[in-house]
Amino acid sequence: MDKGREEMGKDGYLPLFETKVAKGRILFRCYAASVFVGIIFICVYRVVHFPPASAQVLRRWAWMGLFLSELWFSFYWFLTQFVRWNLVYRYTFKDRLSQRYEKVLPGIDIFVCTADPRIEPPIMVINTVLSVMAYNYPSHKPSVYLSDDGGSDLTFYALLEASRFSKHWLPFCRKFSIEPRSPAAYFSTSPEPHNSNPLMAQEWFSIKKIYEDMRNIIETTTSLGRISEEIKKEHKGFLEWNSVSTRHDHQSILQMVIDGRDPKAVDSEGQPLPTLVYLSREKKPQYHHNFKAGAMNALIRVSSKISNGSIILNVDCDMYSNNSESVRDALCFFMDEEKGHEIAYVQFPQCYDNLTRNDLYGTCFRVINEVELAALDANGGPCYIGSGCFHRRETLCGMKYSKGCETEWKRENERKTREKASVLEESCKVLASCTYEENTQWGKEEMGLKYDCAVQDIITGFSIQCRGWKSMYFNPERQGFLGVAPTTLLQSLGQHKRWSEGQFQIFLSMYCPFIYGHKKIPLKLQFSYSPYFLWAPNCMATLYYVAVPSLSVVGGISLFPEIWSLWVLPFAYVIIAKYAYSLGEFLWFDGTIQGWWNDQRVWLFRRTTSYFFAFLDTILKLVGFAENTFVVTAKVSDEDVSRRYEQEVMEFGCPSPMFTIISTLAMLNLFSFVSCVKRVVVDIQIKALESLALQIILCGLLVLINLPVYQGLFFRKDKGAMPTSVTYESISLALLACSIVLY
């Protein structure tokens, strides 16, 4: 506990959360200082041993390019170490929250966003909805809003079925305090109860049967792709689809599936149910809908009219609640008497429940979640990452921080409207219309989530911080939210392309942390955003380092010190220390050696493909040759893909420019390595290779890390193998590059 909090404790004040500075940072700082010294020696070597004018022109240019790449890597490494210098971790006291505020806990509006029932199945969506309806929280306080940008009656039908099932599910969760509270996750991970608890066993089997019946009917209807006339008669809401033309052209659809204010809206034990609302905002081809940010802004307006909860939680439709205490954890920050009035949002980490043991595609963000976001928190506050985030409503509506921003929580509970549900449904539709935002500040400087950026969440959180608010990062022992990770390499690379492109756009825009954040947020927080905003430019140095040293081996051009030279030591130390520390850090946070190796491979793939195309597209947008797009990551895959993913077999399958780059670089390094072996074994040029030793080692490591690529190119026969067209292209391009160097 920090000094300030100790003093407050002495005065009788007991905080609702505490902040602890991470221990054991001396080792990290010694490592960082020693690597920094090594980097200085490498730079000295590059300058002192720069090839003279009489040297080969190709060697001079290759040397210069390598030096520039190393300068970039050094700058980026220094930036990340500066950001990581201090870490803080937060801990909550929910018992104190209950003792002080149980009777005046605020209303919570929970937003669940979905966009396409074909890639985000309705059964998955309603499992997320049910998980947030079942929070350990007074059941009349939450209001759950499902935003369906797909405008699908299939999703509405699934939500209707979920509302019926919730009457049984919520009492079951309360009675037996189960975790997690997503039915699909619970029944797939929970063993059948023992006979020692017959009451639990009886209800367990009963609820499971009700859930399976619901799941089967939803999945059957979804597979048919239409709602039967018999089902349509069950609820007036289906009449809305009589005038729907397409998912991209329809009027606002709003239905209060459960009106939590209605005394008859109770579960099987007579307890009130949370309010449950379906919203599909109006879509017209001539209006830009601004993707997820537009959906969130419509939800903010509609919910302010219906429930107007003081706190807003937003989750993606695949990101179910894994911890029923998350709401209370978040409120420990907002309702803390000393610091709560300063806090705009509380960000939970993004975690996944479908990861393989060794995290094949490096999706876990193990070190980012455990170290880098905690470092952001220490430097001024974490970024808003789009899901699993609790917001103070006023901050999303443009309020600037001032010392008089303290909230009277008791008064906040008296703000619900008394209008009838049917009246509310009609009056709120205009708030979700295409024209409502015209000539307003919505999506611009002050109101709601910001538009015109691929990472609308990041820029929104950043602008909130620039208005004087603080944010908190909370990583509880039991993960707060679990989602669905990409199960193919192309999905993963595409996701990172979108993220890195949006972040680089921010860096080059007026919202650059050093421009927009100047004198608004701490300088160390401005620096803390930069490693993420500069993901995309990493591509150039990485592509150079992966290709040029290997090609130079083919041409016999030395770019590193001879193996027996003392100048090898700084290179060797920096490489060994950096990766040894990285491995140790990864293992410390419960990773595996194979998982770390997979992580290194995927970061290489991302830097040479996702970041390259993100960099290219950003430049094209700057000169007006491209526009922003938003691609929803698929949450379903066929059985063969799923089986290969579970077996940790890398998925290629379809042609892609990204796969062409990956394969070409892999073949380039393979050809270079083979040429080295030929020189040693056939030509017996051992002495000549002494000056090329470090390049050969680098080339060999790149061959090793690309083994799954070679398997996909030459040895696999399944549908996930590398397409034949990509194989031919990569071999041709690699041979062409080697030929140019040789001749």
Side-chain angles (χ1 to χ4, degrees), residues 681-714:
V681 176
V682 179
D683 302 335
I684 318 179
Q685 297 179 5
I686 298 175
K687 184 70 177 175
L689 296 181
E690 288 183 1
S691 61
L692 299 173
L694 288 187
Q695 286 161 258
I696 295 169
I697 292 170
L698 174 62
C699 187
L701 286 171
L702 288 169
V703 168
L704 202 60
I705 210 167
N706 278 303
L707 285 179
V709 179
Y710 303 131
Q711 291 171 353
L713 286 168
F714 304 117

mmCIF file of all heavy atoms in Angstrom, residues 681-714:
data_model
loop_
_atom_site.group_PDB
_atom_site.id
_atom_site.type_symbol
_atom_site.label_atom_id
_atom_site.label_comp_id
_atom_site.label_asym_id
_atom_site.label_seq_id
_atom_site.Cartn_x
_atom_site.Cartn_y
_atom_site.Cartn_z
ATOM 1 N N VAL A 681 30.282 -28.059 -46.803
ATOM 2 C CA VAL A 681 30.367 -29.504 -47.067
ATOM 3 C C VAL A 681 31.020 -29.800 -48.413
ATOM 4 O O VAL A 681 31.888 -30.675 -48.524
ATOM 5 C CB VAL A 681 28.963 -30.146 -46.994
ATOM 6 C CG1 VAL A 681 29.035 -31.621 -47.364
ATOM 7 C CG2 VAL A 681 28.372 -29.959 -45.604
ATOM 8 N N VAL A 682 30.602 -29.072 -49.460
ATOM 9 C CA VAL A 682 31.073 -29.383 -50.816
ATOM 10 C C VAL A 682 32.349 -28.604 -51.149
ATOM 11 O O VAL A 682 33.360 -29.171 -51.568
ATOM 12 C CB VAL A 682 29.967 -29.088 -51.857
ATOM 13 C CG1 VAL A 682 30.483 -29.395 -53.265
ATOM 14 C CG2 VAL A 682 28.718 -29.901 -51.552
ATOM 15 N N ASP A 683 32.313 -27.271 -50.941
ATOM 16 C CA ASP A 683 33.441 -26.435 -51.352
ATOM 17 C C ASP A 683 34.514 -26.298 -50.272
ATOM 18 O O ASP A 683 35.592 -25.752 -50.532
ATOM 19 C CB ASP A 683 32.934 -25.038 -51.742
ATOM 20 C CG ASP A 683 31.910 -25.107 -52.862
ATOM 21 O OD1 ASP A 683 31.937 -26.087 -53.623
ATOM 22 O OD2 ASP A 683 31.074 -24.183 -52.963
ATOM 23 N N ILE A 684 34.194 -26.731 -49.048
ATOM 24 C CA ILE A 684 35.113 -26.693 -47.898
ATOM 25 C C ILE A 684 35.704 -25.293 -47.716
ATOM 26 O O ILE A 684 36.900 -25.089 -47.644
ATOM 27 C CB ILE A 684 36.244 -27.747 -48.033
ATOM 28 C CG1 ILE A 684 35.681 -29.066 -48.555
ATOM 29 C CG2 ILE A 684 36.942 -27.965 -46.702
ATOM 30 C CD1 ILE A 684 36.707 -30.140 -48.750
ATOM 31 N N GLN A 685 34.818 -24.298 -47.664
ATOM 32 C CA GLN A 685 35.241 -22.904 -47.479
ATOM 33 C C GLN A 685 34.995 -22.473 -46.033
ATOM 34 O O GLN A 685 34.332 -21.474 -45.755
ATOM 35 C CB GLN A 685 34.482 -21.989 -48.441
ATOM 36 C CG GLN A 685 34.753 -22.276 -49.903
ATOM 37 C CD GLN A 685 33.955 -21.356 -50.814
ATOM 38 O OE1 GLN A 685 33.267 -20.436 -50.365
ATOM 39 N NE2 GLN A 685 34.056 -21.592 -52.113
ATOM 40 N N ILE A 686 35.497 -23.223 -45.081
ATOM 41 C CA ILE A 686 35.248 -22.946 -43.662
ATOM 42 C C ILE A 686 35.814 -21.594 -43.263
ATOM 43 O O ILE A 686 35.175 -20.810 -42.562
ATOM 44 C CB ILE A 686 35.837 -24.069 -42.787
ATOM 45 C CG1 ILE A 686 35.146 -25.393 -43.128
ATOM 46 C CG2 ILE A 686 35.683 -23.740 -41.312
ATOM 47 C CD1 ILE A 686 35.719 -26.584 -42.431
ATOM 48 N N LYS A 687 37.034 -21.288 -43.708
ATOM 49 C CA LYS A 687 37.682 -20.034 -43.342
ATOM 50 C C LYS A 687 36.884 -18.833 -43.850
ATOM 51 O O LYS A 687 36.706 -17.832 -43.142
ATOM 52 C CB LYS A 687 39.105 -20.011 -43.932
ATOM 53 C CG LYS A 687 39.939 -18.803 -43.540
ATOM 54 C CD LYS A 687 40.329 -18.837 -42.072
ATOM 55 C CE LYS A 687 41.222 -17.668 -41.728
ATOM 56 N NZ LYS A 687 41.526 -17.596 -40.278
ATOM 57 N N ALA A 688 36.351 -18.931 -45.055
ATOM 58 C CA ALA A 688 35.606 -17.819 -45.651
ATOM 59 C C ALA A 688 34.309 -17.531 -44.909
ATOM 60 O O ALA A 688 33.769 -16.425 -44.966
ATOM 61 C CB ALA A 688 35.301 -18.124 -47.119
ATOM 62 N N LEU A 689 33.791 -18.557 -44.169
ATOM 63 C CA LEU A 689 32.522 -18.393 -43.476
ATOM 64 C C LEU A 689 32.659 -17.737 -42.109
ATOM 65 O O LEU A 689 31.664 -17.423 -41.470
ATOM 66 C CB LEU A 689 31.835 -19.758 -43.315
ATOM 67 C CG LEU A 689 31.416 -20.453 -44.618
ATOM 68 C CD1 LEU A 689 30.736 -21.756 -44.310
ATOM 69 C CD2 LEU A 689 30.491 -19.551 -45.424
ATOM 70 N N GLU A 690 33.905 -17.548 -41.641
ATOM 71 C CA GLU A 690 34.089 -16.947 -40.322
ATOM 72 C C GLU A 690 33.500 -15.544 -40.257
ATOM 73 O O GLU A 690 32.924 -15.140 -39.247
ATOM 74 C CB GLU A 690 35.572 -16.911 -39.963
ATOM 75 C CG GLU A 690 36.157 -18.281 -39.640
ATOM 76 C CD GLU A 690 37.623 -18.196 -39.226
ATOM 77 O OE1 GLU A 690 38.154 -17.061 -39.184
ATOM 78 O OE2 GLU A 690 38.209 -19.247 -38.937
ATOM 79 N N SER A 691 33.632 -14.808 -41.350
ATOM 80 C CA SER A 691 33.093 -13.445 -41.366
ATOM 81 C C SER A 691 31.575 -13.427 -41.545
ATOM 82 O O SER A 691 30.936 -12.397 -41.341
ATOM 83 C CB SER A 691 33.748 -12.633 -42.482
ATOM 84 O OG SER A 691 33.486 -13.229 -43.744
ATOM 85 N N LEU A 692 31.017 -14.575 -41.932
ATOM 86 C CA LEU A 692 29.566 -14.655 -42.160
ATOM 87 C C LEU A 692 28.847 -15.409 -41.048
ATOM 88 O O LEU A 692 27.645 -15.680 -41.157
ATOM 89 C CB LEU A 692 29.282 -15.347 -43.499
ATOM 90 C CG LEU A 692 29.836 -14.676 -44.766
ATOM 91 C CD1 LEU A 692 29.619 -15.586 -45.969
ATOM 92 C CD2 LEU A 692 29.174 -13.329 -44.985
ATOM 93 N N ALA A 693 29.540 -15.732 -39.974
ATOM 94 C CA ALA A 693 28.988 -16.626 -38.944
ATOM 95 C C ALA A 693 27.693 -16.098 -38.341
ATOM 96 O O ALA A 693 26.700 -16.844 -38.213
ATOM 97 C CB ALA A 693 30.030 -16.858 -37.849
ATOM 98 N N LEU A 694 27.669 -14.818 -37.953
ATOM 99 C CA LEU A 694 26.458 -14.283 -37.325
ATOM 100 C C LEU A 694 25.285 -14.263 -38.303
ATOM 101 O O LEU A 694 24.141 -14.516 -37.913
ATOM 102 C CB LEU A 694 26.720 -12.874 -36.784
ATOM 103 C CG LEU A 694 27.597 -12.766 -35.529
ATOM 104 C CD1 LEU A 694 27.621 -11.332 -35.031
ATOM 105 C CD2 LEU A 694 27.105 -13.686 -34.422
ATOM 106 N N GLN A 695 25.571 -13.977 -39.566
ATOM 107 C CA GLN A 695 24.503 -13.997 -40.566
ATOM 108 C C GLN A 695 23.968 -15.409 -40.770
ATOM 109 O O GLN A 695 22.761 -15.604 -40.934
ATOM 110 C CB GLN A 695 25.013 -13.436 -41.897
ATOM 111 C CG GLN A 695 25.174 -11.917 -41.888
ATOM 112 C CD GLN A 695 26.075 -11.427 -42.989
ATOM 113 O OE1 GLN A 695 27.227 -11.105 -42.732
ATOM 114 N NE2 GLN A 695 25.573 -11.384 -44.219
ATOM 115 N N ILE A 696 24.874 -16.387 -40.718
ATOM 116 C CA ILE A 696 24.450 -17.783 -40.883
ATOM 117 C C ILE A 696 23.591 -18.219 -39.697
ATOM 118 O O ILE A 696 22.569 -18.903 -39.865
ATOM 119 C CB ILE A 696 25.679 -18.699 -41.033
ATOM 120 C CG1 ILE A 696 26.418 -18.359 -42.333
ATOM 121 C CG2 ILE A 696 25.268 -20.169 -41.023
ATOM 122 C CD1 ILE A 696 27.781 -19.006 -42.445
ATOM 123 N N ILE A 697 23.994 -17.805 -38.491
ATOM 124 C CA ILE A 697 23.196 -18.135 -37.300
ATOM 125 C C ILE A 697 21.808 -17.506 -37.402
ATOM 126 O O ILE A 697 20.787 -18.156 -37.130
ATOM 127 C CB ILE A 697 23.921 -17.664 -36.019
ATOM 128 C CG1 ILE A 697 25.184 -18.489 -35.800
ATOM 129 C CG2 ILE A 697 23.005 -17.766 -34.807
ATOM 130 C CD1 ILE A 697 26.087 -17.952 -34.698
ATOM 131 N N LEU A 698 21.761 -16.226 -37.812
ATOM 132 C CA LEU A 698 20.480 -15.545 -37.993
ATOM 133 C C LEU A 698 19.627 -16.261 -39.030
ATOM 134 O O LEU A 698 18.431 -16.503 -38.823
ATOM 135 C CB LEU A 698 20.723 -14.094 -38.413
ATOM 136 C CG LEU A 698 19.481 -13.263 -38.791
ATOM 137 C CD1 LEU A 698 18.540 -13.125 -37.605
ATOM 138 C CD2 LEU A 698 19.892 -11.879 -39.306
ATOM 139 N N CYS A 699 20.260 -16.636 -40.119
ATOM 140 C CA CYS A 699 19.561 -17.350 -41.193
ATOM 141 C C CYS A 699 19.028 -18.693 -40.694
ATOM 142 O O CYS A 699 17.883 -19.067 -40.964
ATOM 143 C CB CYS A 699 20.522 -17.549 -42.364
ATOM 144 S SG CYS A 699 19.759 -18.237 -43.829
ATOM 145 N N GLY A 700 19.849 -19.419 -39.918
ATOM 146 C CA GLY A 700 19.432 -20.710 -39.377
ATOM 147 C C GLY A 700 18.263 -20.584 -38.416
ATOM 148 O O GLY A 700 17.331 -21.407 -38.439
ATOM 149 N N LEU A 701 18.276 -19.538 -37.582
ATOM 150 C CA LEU A 701 17.160 -19.315 -36.653
ATOM 151 C C LEU A 701 15.870 -19.006 -37.410
ATOM 152 O O LEU A 701 14.784 -19.457 -37.026
ATOM 153 C CB LEU A 701 17.500 -18.169 -35.696
ATOM 154 C CG LEU A 701 18.525 -18.486 -34.603
ATOM 155 C CD1 LEU A 701 18.926 -17.214 -33.861
ATOM 156 C CD2 LEU A 701 17.957 -19.518 -33.613
ATOM 157 N N LEU A 702 15.991 -18.246 -38.490
ATOM 158 C CA LEU A 702 14.808 -17.933 -39.293
ATOM 159 C C LEU A 702 14.267 -19.172 -39.991
ATOM 160 O O LEU A 702 13.048 -19.330 -40.136
ATOM 161 C CB LEU A 702 15.144 -16.842 -40.314
ATOM 162 C CG LEU A 702 15.350 -15.441 -39.713
ATOM 163 C CD1 LEU A 702 15.949 -14.490 -40.742
ATOM 164 C CD2 LEU A 702 14.025 -14.887 -39.190
ATOM 165 N N VAL A 703 15.143 -20.053 -40.409
ATOM 166 C CA VAL A 703 14.693 -21.331 -40.984
ATOM 167 C C VAL A 703 13.964 -22.144 -39.923
ATOM 168 O O VAL A 703 12.899 -22.723 -40.167
ATOM 169 C CB VAL A 703 15.892 -22.126 -41.552
ATOM 170 C CG1 VAL A 703 15.487 -23.560 -41.882
ATOM 171 C CG2 VAL A 703 16.444 -21.433 -42.793
ATOM 172 N N LEU A 704 14.531 -22.173 -38.732
ATOM 173 C CA LEU A 704 13.940 -22.940 -37.635
ATOM 174 C C LEU A 704 12.557 -22.413 -37.272
ATOM 175 O O LEU A 704 11.611 -23.192 -37.068
ATOM 176 C CB LEU A 704 14.871 -22.874 -36.418
ATOM 177 C CG LEU A 704 14.734 -23.969 -35.365
ATOM 178 C CD1 LEU A 704 14.988 -25.338 -35.975
ATOM 179 C CD2 LEU A 704 15.697 -23.703 -34.208
ATOM 180 N N ILE A 705 12.435 -21.095 -37.204
ATOM 181 C CA ILE A 705 11.159 -20.512 -36.792
ATOM 182 C C ILE A 705 10.095 -20.672 -37.873
ATOM 183 O O ILE A 705 8.891 -20.614 -37.600
ATOM 184 C CB ILE A 705 11.348 -19.020 -36.412
ATOM 185 C CG1 ILE A 705 10.336 -18.613 -35.336
ATOM 186 C CG2 ILE A 705 11.233 -18.103 -37.629
ATOM 187 C CD1 ILE A 705 10.637 -17.291 -34.672
ATOM 188 N N ASN A 706 10.539 -20.910 -39.121
ATOM 189 C CA ASN A 706 9.601 -21.069 -40.241
ATOM 190 C C ASN A 706 9.266 -22.525 -40.556
ATOM 191 O O ASN A 706 8.659 -22.795 -41.603
ATOM 192 C CB ASN A 706 10.169 -20.400 -41.498
ATOM 193 C CG ASN A 706 9.922 -18.894 -41.520
ATOM 194 O OD1 ASN A 706 8.792 -18.439 -41.447
ATOM 195 N ND2 ASN A 706 10.997 -18.126 -41.598
ATOM 196 N N LEU A 707 9.617 -23.445 -39.688
ATOM 197 C CA LEU A 707 9.335 -24.865 -39.955
ATOM 198 C C LEU A 707 7.861 -25.130 -40.291
ATOM 199 O O LEU A 707 7.573 -25.899 -41.219
ATOM 200 C CB LEU A 707 9.785 -25.716 -38.772
ATOM 201 C CG LEU A 707 11.305 -25.932 -38.631
ATOM 202 C CD1 LEU A 707 11.614 -26.780 -37.406
ATOM 203 C CD2 LEU A 707 11.891 -26.581 -39.888
ATOM 204 N N PRO A 708 6.890 -24.538 -39.561
ATOM 205 C CA PRO A 708 5.487 -24.774 -39.944
ATOM 206 C C PRO A 708 5.162 -24.297 -41.356
ATOM 207 O O PRO A 708 4.277 -24.853 -42.013
ATOM 208 C CB PRO A 708 4.698 -23.980 -38.896
ATOM 209 C CG PRO A 708 5.612 -23.848 -37.733
ATOM 210 C CD PRO A 708 6.979 -23.737 -38.326
ATOM 211 N N VAL A 709 5.881 -23.266 -41.818
ATOM 212 C CA VAL A 709 5.655 -22.768 -43.179
ATOM 213 C C VAL A 709 6.140 -23.800 -44.193
ATOM 214 O O VAL A 709 5.439 -24.097 -45.180
ATOM 215 C CB VAL A 709 6.366 -21.415 -43.400
ATOM 216 C CG1 VAL A 709 6.140 -20.912 -44.826
ATOM 217 C CG2 VAL A 709 5.880 -20.388 -42.384
ATOM 218 N N TYR A 710 7.315 -24.379 -43.958
ATOM 219 C CA TYR A 710 7.831 -25.407 -44.875
ATOM 220 C C TYR A 710 6.924 -26.626 -44.889
ATOM 221 O O TYR A 710 6.706 -27.231 -45.946
ATOM 222 C CB TYR A 710 9.253 -25.813 -44.467
ATOM 223 C CG TYR A 710 10.226 -24.660 -44.423
ATOM 224 C CD1 TYR A 710 11.054 -24.469 -43.322
ATOM 225 C CD2 TYR A 710 10.313 -23.752 -45.463
ATOM 226 C CE1 TYR A 710 11.944 -23.403 -43.254
ATOM 227 C CE2 TYR A 710 11.196 -22.678 -45.420
ATOM 228 C CZ TYR A 710 12.008 -22.511 -44.308
ATOM 229 O OH TYR A 710 12.880 -21.455 -44.253
ATOM 230 N N GLN A 711 6.392 -26.980 -43.729
ATOM 231 C CA GLN A 711 5.444 -28.098 -43.682
ATOM 232 C C GLN A 711 4.219 -27.794 -44.527
ATOM 233 O O GLN A 711 3.732 -28.652 -45.274
ATOM 234 C CB GLN A 711 5.032 -28.370 -42.236
ATOM 235 C CG GLN A 711 6.142 -28.943 -41.366
ATOM 236 C CD GLN A 711 5.750 -28.999 -39.894
ATOM 237 O OE1 GLN A 711 4.708 -28.496 -39.495
ATOM 238 N NE2 GLN A 711 6.605 -29.603 -39.082
ATOM 239 N N GLY A 712 3.711 -26.559 -44.413
ATOM 240 C CA GLY A 712 2.542 -26.166 -45.206
ATOM 241 C C GLY A 712 2.834 -26.097 -46.687
ATOM 242 O O GLY A 712 1.963 -26.374 -47.515
ATOM 243 N N LEU A 713 4.073 -25.739 -47.048
ATOM 244 C CA LEU A 713 4.447 -25.621 -48.458
ATOM 245 C C LEU A 713 4.660 -26.971 -49.132
ATOM 246 O O LEU A 713 4.268 -27.165 -50.295
ATOM 247 C CB LEU A 713 5.725 -24.784 -48.581
ATOM 248 C CG LEU A 713 5.612 -23.275 -48.365
ATOM 249 C CD1 LEU A 713 6.986 -22.651 -48.224
ATOM 250 C CD2 LEU A 713 4.858 -22.615 -49.518
ATOM 251 N N PHE A 714 5.280 -27.924 -48.407
ATOM 252 C CA PHE A 714 5.772 -29.130 -49.081
ATOM 253 C C PHE A 714 5.247 -30.470 -48.538
ATOM 254 O O PHE A 714 5.191 -31.439 -49.291
ATOM 255 C CB PHE A 714 7.306 -29.161 -49.020
ATOM 256 C CG PHE A 714 7.956 -27.945 -49.595
ATOM 257 C CD1 PHE A 714 8.726 -27.104 -48.803
ATOM 258 C CD2 PHE A 714 7.797 -27.615 -50.934
ATOM 259 C CE1 PHE A 714 9.333 -25.973 -49.326
ATOM 260 C CE2 PHE A 714 8.399 -26.488 -51.472
ATOM 261 C CZ PHE A 714 9.173 -25.660 -50.668
#
